[in-house]
Amino acid sequence: GLCLSHFSYMGQINSWCSSDYFSRVLSFTTLYWISAIVLIGDAIVKGTVRIIMPKFDPEEVWKTVQKHKVNLVFVSPYQSIFLYNTKLPPNFDTKDLKSILIAGGVLSEEKLADIRQLLPSVQIALLYGLSEIGCATRFECSIDQHVKFSKEKRTSSGMGLNGFAYKIADPETDKVLGPNQQGELRIKSDYLISGYYQADSLSIWDSEGWFKTGDIAYYDTDFCFYIAGRLKEVLKFRGFHILPATIENVLYSFPGIKYAAVVGIPHEEDGDHPCAAVV
């Protein structure tokens, strides 16, 4: 269980939902994730209308978006792929649909390009967040520079948000890394959790009080962030660190593969051998 103060919860509402651009939201995030809790708070604070569906059915999603003039759709990567693979209703009108936000995992550049081609007038954007933090990086529809970057930097999870400080650190040495260098993303903010319920939480902060996200990331010279994978999922093959997402993205380039998940199989000599499960 995560321990959040009232202040941190309200701060997360502002960081997740800082735009007044959206008045009607369709989201499939569950109460297991902070995004669902924050979207409830956003509806109360800002009067946002929430459209609730009994289950995720891609065909019904597109019909609902059209019928209820949805502005924002919030989905996971695999749900976004389902939506892309489902035909749009005849005469589908996107004038009310402003953005589809994708969160909860890594999506390949090819899949993002496919979804953007399907809906060229809609902002299709990845965002990055954790339940311990709330939303940490995103592109805002209401900021021209963000809109420009979201089109140019297709795999970026967005820019930093007010109220947060960021650094990329070498997970083994704690050395701070510069632009375009991959390392662990660490964050400072008053909106973070104070710890885990009835559990030792000292290990989640480094020696300088930065929260260790456990995610491998980097930022470019425009301070746009990119999430490369999970630190705990990294394979170590003959001393080399290999991100499962890197191999998964190669597999996704084959048209016959719908889903892929790469894990490490322990090997006495090599450390780990990558193994892929595919659909």
Side-chain angles (χ1 to χ4, degrees):
L2 309 180
C3 299
L4 285 171
S5 68
H6 290 93
F7 181 84
S8 62
Y9 175 57
M10 294 304 296
Q12 288 195 21
I13 290 175
N14 285 328
S15 65
W16 270 92
C17 314
S18 57
S19 175
D20 295 323
Y21 210 49
F22 312 117
S23 59
R24 293 176 295 281
V25 176
L26 176 61
S27 170
F28 293 93
T29 181
T30 73
L31 292 174
Y32 183 79
W33 306 109
I34 190 65
S35 49
I37 309 298
V38 167
L39 284 170
I40 290 171
D42 181 70
I44 295 168
V45 172
K46 300 180 181 176
T48 306
V49 174
R50 286 291 308 281
I51 292 91
I52 308 231
M53 297 179 65
K55 63 179 181 178
F56 180 81
D57 181 327
E59 289 187 4
E60 291 301 316
V61 169
W62 289 130
K63 292 177 184 177
T64 300
V65 167
Q66 189 79 100
K67 179 179 178 181
H68 294 287
K69 300 180 179 181
V70 172
N71 306 137
L72 171 66
V73 176
F74 187 93
V75 289
S76 67
Y78 85 89
Q79 288 172 334
S80 71
I81 295 172
F82 269 122
L83 289 174
Y84 170 75
N85 291 332
T86 304
K87 290 184 178 179
L88 293 173
N91 304 315
F92 187 78
D93 188 353
T94 60
K95 70 179 185 213
D96 293 301
L97 183 59
K98 308 297 184 185
S99 180
I100 296 178
L101 291 181
I102 303 170
V106 178
L107 197 60
S108 70
E109 185 173 359
E110 290 78 13
K111 292 295 182 184
L112 275 170
D114 288 341
I115 299 169
R116 286 174 172 140
Q117 189 173 8
L118 180 68
L119 299 164
S121 64
V122 179
Q123 183 202 38
I124 312 294
L126 296 169
L127 64 79
Y128 169 75
L130 290 172
S131 291
E132 289 90 340
I133 298 170
C135 183
T137 66
R138 67 173 288 187
F139 287 124
E140 293 278 7
C141 281
S142 55
I143 301 175
D144 290 341
Q145 186 188 45
H146 284 223
V147 173
K148 176 175 177 289
F149 283 156
S150 71
K151 294 177 181 178
E152 296 174 353
K153 304 171 188 288
R154 296 185 175 181
T155 57
S156 173
S157 296
M159 305 184 76
L161 303 174
N162 290 334
F164 292 85
Y166 308 80
K167 74 175 177 180
I168 303 294
D170 184 309
E172 295 181 0
T173 65
D174 285 345
K175 177 185 176 182
V176 177
L177 305 175
N180 299 309
Q181 292 181 291
Q182 290 191 11
E184 183 181 24
L185 175 60
R186 299 182 182 180
I187 292 177
K188 270 190 179 182
S189 173
D190 292 334
Y191 304 153
L192 271 60
I193 63 168
S194 55
Y196 297 108
Y197 183 66
Q198 292 187 349
D200 183 4
S201 306
L202 290 177
S203 62
I204 65 176
W205 287 281
D206 68 15
S207 60
E208 296 180 339
W210 292 78
F211 177 79
K212 298 188 288 186
T213 66
D215 287 311
I216 300 294
Y218 67 95
Y219 63 91
D220 62 21
T221 53
D222 292 314
F223 298 101
C224 295
F225 286 85
Y226 301 78
I227 306 301
R230 289 286 295 168
L231 183 62
K232 66 182 180 182
E233 294 174 353
V234 170
L235 314 178
K236 202 165 187 179
F237 177 75
R238 297 180 182 176
F240 292 95
H241 290 90
I242 300 172
L243 297 175
T246 303
I247 303 174
E248 290 165 3
N249 285 337
V250 174
L251 293 172
Y252 278 129
S253 68
F254 292 90
I257 292 180
K258 189 174 184 181
Y259 302 110
V262 172
V263 297
I265 303 296
H267 188 272
E268 187 175 356
E269 295 180 3
D270 295 333
D272 291 302
H273 280 183
C275 173
V278 301
V279 175

